[in-house]
Amino acid sequence: MTLPNDWPTSTDRRSLLSEWTTLGVGGPADVLALPRTASEAAALLSACAERGVPWRALGKGSNLLVGDEGVRGVVVSTRDLRSLDWCGEGRVRAGAGVATSVLLQEAMRRRLGGLECLVGYPASIGGAARMNAGGRWGEVKERIEAVVVIDGDGTLREIPAAECGFGYRRSALAGRLVVEVVLALPEAEPRETVERIRAIQREKGAAQPLGLPSAGCFFRNPPGSSAGRLIDEAGLKGRAVGGAVVSDVHGNFLVNRGGATASDFLRLVDEVRSTVARVFGVDLVLEVEVWGAGSVPARA
Ligand code: EPU
């Protein structure tokens, strides 16, 4: 795809998406755009709408499997949307590209807490809001007041949390570009926050394969059940296709043990799903978002 001269944002030619996802697989985007401000992003999406160019939003790529053939159109990375405005009384407006680890640290410096549930997720706050990231220790929606998005036609608007459709690893923010998240954080003694963080890190370190490239949990937990346990009890731990392998540590983590391709992961996903369906009669649904790949339907 050739870019028009008046393309309203900076672009990055290193568009191989394997470099932009934690799984480390995936082909190129036609264009990888890196808007630096919300208005630049709005101009970009209007330009896409006018020209009929498809676009997709990319955070830190930690919940994403991109097909080996890549994706057509524009991938809009929120990496450079990094503003962080502390407005008093625990309120912060964070650019979508702010790393959750940075937000956590900066909050702690201000004696604020409430984001410990995000420890260990290599996420951006925009992506965390989009997926309502979290787990046993809480979900990010508990701290979100509003989300600023750009709609497909380039309109910028602020959506109150109550209208964001937050649920279990989902929101109604798909198809929009999250550019800013407004959070309200409670006061917290830094020492106590650090203790909570360490406890979560210890639990995660023991239960999850944090040393290998992964996309976190691959499948949603079926209602009242655990995808990891089902995969484990179906005897799938250690099952590999090429460089993609079901972790020995946690069954719901499919990891890249080196040299994996997206098709390795997609074949492994098929095998895991069909085995779990045969053994337990449960149809696992992907939590990870799949781009391209003409592949497994995400059905999220
Ligand atoms: N289990 C097994 N074998 C395994 C994995 C798990 O028997 O291989 C058992 C565990 O012993 C436990 C149960 O299954 O009794 C549930 O496992 P775990 O406590 O690890 O939690 P999970 O439901 O698998 C969820 C989230 C994680 C989050 C943890 C902790 C989902 C799909 N996963 O995992 O989130 O870190 O709780 O809060 O909801 C993610 O979203 O990417 C993610 C990793």
Side-chain angles (χ1 to χ4, degrees):
M1 194 175 91
T2 42
L3 289 179
N5 292 332
D6 61 344
W7 196 252
T9 192
S10 63
T11 57
D12 194 311
R13 282 296 171 192
R14 294 173 306 124
S15 65
L16 209 55
L17 293 170
S18 56
E19 294 173 23
W20 295 77
T21 57
T22 55
L23 269 179
V25 302
D30 285 336
V31 175
L32 185 70
L34 294 152
R36 282 159 301 205
T37 61
S39 53
E40 211 175 88
L44 171 68
L45 294 203
S46 307
C48 286
E50 276 162 26
R51 295 173 170 88
V53 175
W55 64 270
R56 297 158 191 265
L58 175 68
K60 274 186 170 288
S62 58
N63 196 50
L64 184 60
L65 171 58
V66 180
D68 294 319
E69 75 284 15
V71 290
R72 308 288 67 86
V74 178
V75 169
V76 186
S77 164
T78 57
R79 187 194 68 183
D80 293 345
L81 298 172
R82 287 205 194 141
S83 57
L84 208 46
D85 298 323
W86 297 90
C87 326
E89 294 173 353
R91 200 157 277 120
V92 59
R93 301 184 78 92
V98 173
T100 49
S101 54
V102 169
L103 190 55
L104 204 95
Q105 286 297 327
E106 289 293 319
M108 214 160 32
R109 276 182 354 105
R110 289 166 175 80
R111 311 181 75 78
L112 298 169
L115 292 173
E116 297 86 273
C117 65
L118 294 176
V119 163
Y121 293 113
S124 62
I125 189 63
R130 154 75 180 88
M131 285 305 290
N132 183 25
R136 180 164 46 254
W137 300 280
E139 294 178 321
V140 71
K141 73 168 185 186
E142 291 154 24
R143 307 297 169 204
I144 294 178
E145 278 199 346
V147 177
V148 181
V149 300
I150 300 172
D151 286 333
D153 61 359
T155 315
L156 188 79
R157 60 198 190 92
E158 185 163 317
I159 308 178
E163 292 165 31
C164 287
F166 291 126
Y168 166 59
R169 297 302 86 75
R170 74 168 79 236
S171 75
L173 302 168
R176 295 154 161 172
L177 182 69
V178 175
V179 289
E180 201 172 74
V181 182
V182 187
L183 302 115
L185 306 179
E187 286 177 15
E189 186 59 45
R191 206 162 23 86
E192 287 167 17
T193 305
V194 168
E195 270 166 30
R196 265 198 303 279
I197 287 174
R198 293 219 175 110
I200 294 170
Q201 281 172 330
R202 267 196 304 276
E203 270 198 56
K204 282 200 175 181
Q208 301 181 357
L210 303 181
L212 285 170
S214 80
C217 285
F218 238 82
F219 300 96
R220 291 166 175 279
N221 281 340
S225 179
S226 156
R229 203 182 57 243
L230 294 175
I231 294 167
D232 185 356
E233 288 176 358
L236 286 159
K237 276 183 169 172
R239 187 70 58 93
V241 175
V245 56
V246 178
S247 166
D248 281 328
V249 180
H250 193 299
N252 203 3
F253 279 66
L254 310 191
V255 298
N256 185 347
R257 64 178 176 186
T261 61
S263 31
D264 291 343
F265 277 102
L266 291 166
R267 283 171 48 212
L268 189 59
V269 162
D270 272 344
E271 195 175 327
V272 167
R273 285 176 80 180
S274 57
T275 306
V276 169
R278 182 166 39 76
V279 176
F280 295 109
V282 174
D283 196 10
L284 290 179
V285 174
L286 282 175
E287 176 185 309
V288 163
E289 191 170 314
V290 180
W291 286 2
S295 59
V296 194
R299 293 189 300 170

